Amino acid sequence: QVQLVESGGGLVQAGGSLRLSCAASGSFYSIDEMGWYRQAPGLQRELITHITSGGTTYYKDSVKGRFTISRDNAKNTVYLQLNSLNPEDTAVYYCYADIMTSSYSQSTYWGRGTQVTVSS
């Protein structure tokens, strides 16, 4: 009943930028925390950023100053602005959201991922 769909990935040269989007749809009461993980080839999935419903943010040290997370609560959408990209940022990026599906039930939902490839 709840689906997250990412978009905005693609191929970009080193130093370039991309903007990722993740929209939640379906039947739910509200969305709490939203965020992004990424997984590079051969590596574990890592949390890179998240944002609370009130706008408090967290960033992994390696992306601070380069990536910016934001959200539009009216659109049930979280965004990730990727700037100053380098080849080490190449990965599949996954969004997640902690969603209240009733007044007493909260679950974490995941998108299927969007590929970001940075060429040197």
Side-chain angles (χ1 to χ4, degrees):
Q1 297 186 120
V2 179
Q3 185 177 17
L4 300 181
V5 179
E6 301 103 332
S7 63
L11 175 64
V12 65
Q13 293 184 344
S17 299
L18 288 171
R19 184 174 177 84
L20 309 183
S21 299
C22 175
S25 62
S27 180
F28 52 86
Y29 283 6
S30 62
I31 302 175
D32 192 3
E33 181 179 290
M34 305 183 80
W36 295 86
Y37 281 73
R38 69 183 181 186
Q39 188 167 24
L43 300 179
Q44 293 183 318
R45 188 175 299 187
E46 61 177 354
L47 175 68
I48 55 174
T49 183
H50 64 67
I51 184 169
T52 68
S53 60
T56 301
T57 59
Y58 159 83
Y59 295 97
K60 186 177 187 294
D61 285 345
S62 63
V63 308
K64 286 181 178 178
R66 300 191 299 122
F67 295 2
T68 303
I69 189 171
S70 61
R71 62 191 288 169
D72 185 334
N73 292 330
K75 294 183 177 181
N76 297 319
T77 299
V78 63
Y79 304 95
L80 184 61
Q81 179 68 42
L82 312 174
N83 294 331
S84 301
L85 287 164
N86 60 67
E88 293 182 348
D89 296 316
T90 295
V92 178
Y93 285 69
Y94 299 89
C95 70
Y96 75 89
D98 296 331
I99 295 178
M100 297 292 296
T101 55
S102 72
S103 62
Y104 53 85
S105 180
Q106 179 170 289
S107 298
T108 300
Y109 294 86
W110 292 83
R112 293 183 178 181
T114 185
Q115 177 71 48
V116 172
T117 302
V118 185
S119 63
S120 60

